[in-house]
């Protein structure tokens, strides 16, 4: 099963994608997590991506597309995957579509997690992220067992540089301009499904499971 998660920054794509990955036994592939892991390791890619991410802009398609296609060509993706944060532009979606159709494959579901902009800024300021294993927490909704420490790997939790309120605003603008058109793209392909992302996460996940079966 191949799934694309759509939704504004902070809508809960990552949270739901991890739950889907676990429940359906498929890998969770997040381009944002790949960039942040590269940044942490100090790679050239990480340094290049950071320039855009810190401003709330998209990393250019030239850098993003190859990374994603290499990742989904790996063995563990043979039975499907859940993409979180890719595609984010129509050109990215077209490249993915073409690569899949050459293999006789296609995206099965594009799940749009809908959350109004007003809710987003509040969510982001409470988010804490582990840059080592990609786990995310929220200081009110999902606090870690020990403040500031990742439950999974014991690393320090941080407020992402791009979660500052002014950068979140910019990311929302970029989302509406460049990413929202994907809703029409996947509607036209007949695979778009919408869930109400303002509900508690378990309820959102129950709605997604009802769609995926
Ligand atoms: P990326 O890492 O993908 O960030 P994003 O899309 O902005 O999305 P987020 O990770 O911020 O939000 P999310 O929807 O995953 O929400 P989460 O589950 O964490 O990308 C970062 C940057 O990398 C981009 O700005 C861009 O520069 C670059 N990039 C990445 N991919 C790219 C691409 N393909 N092309 C170009 N550039 C790219 O939830 C948010 C918070 O809310 C958490 O604290 C969570 O605990 C909480 N929460 C979740 N669900 C609920 C709920 N139901 N109720 C209450 N709280 C909840
Ligand atoms: Mg995310």
């Amino acid at each position: 099963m191949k799934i694309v998660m759509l939704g504004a920054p902070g809508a809960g794509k990552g949270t739901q994608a991890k739950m889907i990955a676990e429940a359906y036994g498929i890998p969770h592939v997040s381009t944002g997590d790949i960039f942040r892991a590269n940044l942490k390791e100090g790679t050239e890619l990480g340094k290049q991506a950071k320039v855009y991410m810190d401003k709330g802009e998209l990393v250019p398609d030239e850098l993003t597309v190859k990374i994603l296609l290499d990742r989904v060509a790996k063995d563990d993706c043979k039975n499907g995957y859940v993409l979180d944060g890719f595609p984010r532009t129509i050109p990215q979606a077209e490249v993915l579509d073409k690569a899949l159709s050459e293999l006789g494959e296609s995206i099965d579901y594009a799940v749009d997690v809908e959350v109004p902009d007003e809710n987003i800024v509040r969510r982001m300021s409470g988010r804490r992220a582990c840059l080592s294993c990609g786990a995310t927490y929220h200081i009110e909704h999902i606090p870690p067992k020990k403040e500031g420490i990742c439950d999974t790997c014991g690393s320090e939790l941080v407020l992402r540089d791009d979660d500052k309120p002014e950068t979140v605003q910019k990311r929302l603008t970029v989302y509406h301009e460049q990413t929202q058109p994907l809703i029409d793209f996947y509607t036209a392909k007949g695979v778009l499904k919408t869930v109400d992302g303002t509900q508690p996460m378990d309820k959102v996940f129950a709605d997604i499971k009802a769609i995926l079966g």
Side-chain angles (χ1 to χ4, degrees):
M1 183 153 52
K2 297 184 190 65
I3 305 163
V4 163
M5 302 302 292
L6 297 175
K13 300 181 296 295
T15 303
Q16 296 300 327
K18 281 172 207 145
M19 293 163 93
I20 295 170
E22 199 173 316
Y24 292 86
I26 51 177
H28 166 215
V29 176
S30 156
T31 37
D33 284 354
I34 294 174
F35 290 138
R36 282 184 288 276
N38 272 274
L39 182 60
K40 187 156 180 277
E41 286 157 21
T43 69
E44 195 48 43
L45 169 70
K47 286 180 201 152
Q48 285 178 316
K50 181 177 165 57
V51 177
Y52 301 95
M53 292 172 78
D54 283 356
K55 287 191 282 192
E57 292 171 5
L58 295 185
V59 177
D61 289 348
E62 303 85 85
L63 288 177
T64 312
V65 164
K66 184 172 182 315
I67 291 161
L68 189 277
L69 293 182
D70 287 350
R71 178 64 190 89
V72 298
K74 294 220 164 102
D75 253 11
D76 64 335
C77 288
K78 266 211 294 272
N79 295 325
Y81 40 77
V82 49
L83 299 185
D84 159 21
F86 188 101
R88 241 189 174 85
T89 63
I90 294 283
Q92 289 182 12
E94 285 170 343
V95 171
L96 176 64
D97 198 45
K98 183 161 173 284
L100 288 174
S101 63
E102 280 165 9
L103 301 168
E105 297 172 359
S106 59
I107 293 296
D108 299 298
Y109 299 99
V111 179
D112 179 28
V113 183
E114 251 186 357
V115 177
D117 287 10
E118 306 84 83
N119 300 27
I120 299 276
V121 180
R122 226 174 317 131
R123 272 196 194 179
M124 305 297 246
S125 58
R127 174 164 62 180
R128 294 297 178 270
C130 174
L131 299 183
S132 291
C133 72
T136 45
Y137 301 86
H138 190 282
I139 49 177
E140 288 160 40
H141 309 297
I142 332 166
K145 291 196 185 82
K146 192 164 169 225
E147 197 186 317
I149 303 293
C150 179
D151 292 349
T152 314
C153 74
S155 301
E156 198 188 334
L157 299 177
V158 299
L159 177 69
R160 276 168 39 181
D161 284 340
D162 60 348
D163 279 350
K164 299 184 188 108
E166 61 280 13
T167 315
V168 171
Q169 272 311 335
K170 170 74 182 170
R171 286 162 65 198
L172 280 169
T173 306
V174 168
Y175 167 75
H176 290 300
E177 286 174 3
Q178 303 198 50
T179 307
Q180 218 170 16
L182 293 175
I183 292 180
D184 289 342
F185 180 94
Y186 286 110
T187 300
K189 295 202 172 292
V191 295
L192 188 87
K193 305 285 173 189
T194 305
V195 293
D196 175 2
T198 64
Q199 308 175 96
M201 358 198 182
D202 290 345
K203 182 71 183 62
V204 179
F205 186 56
D207 287 356
I208 293 177
K209 272 206 301 203
I211 291 164
L212 304 181

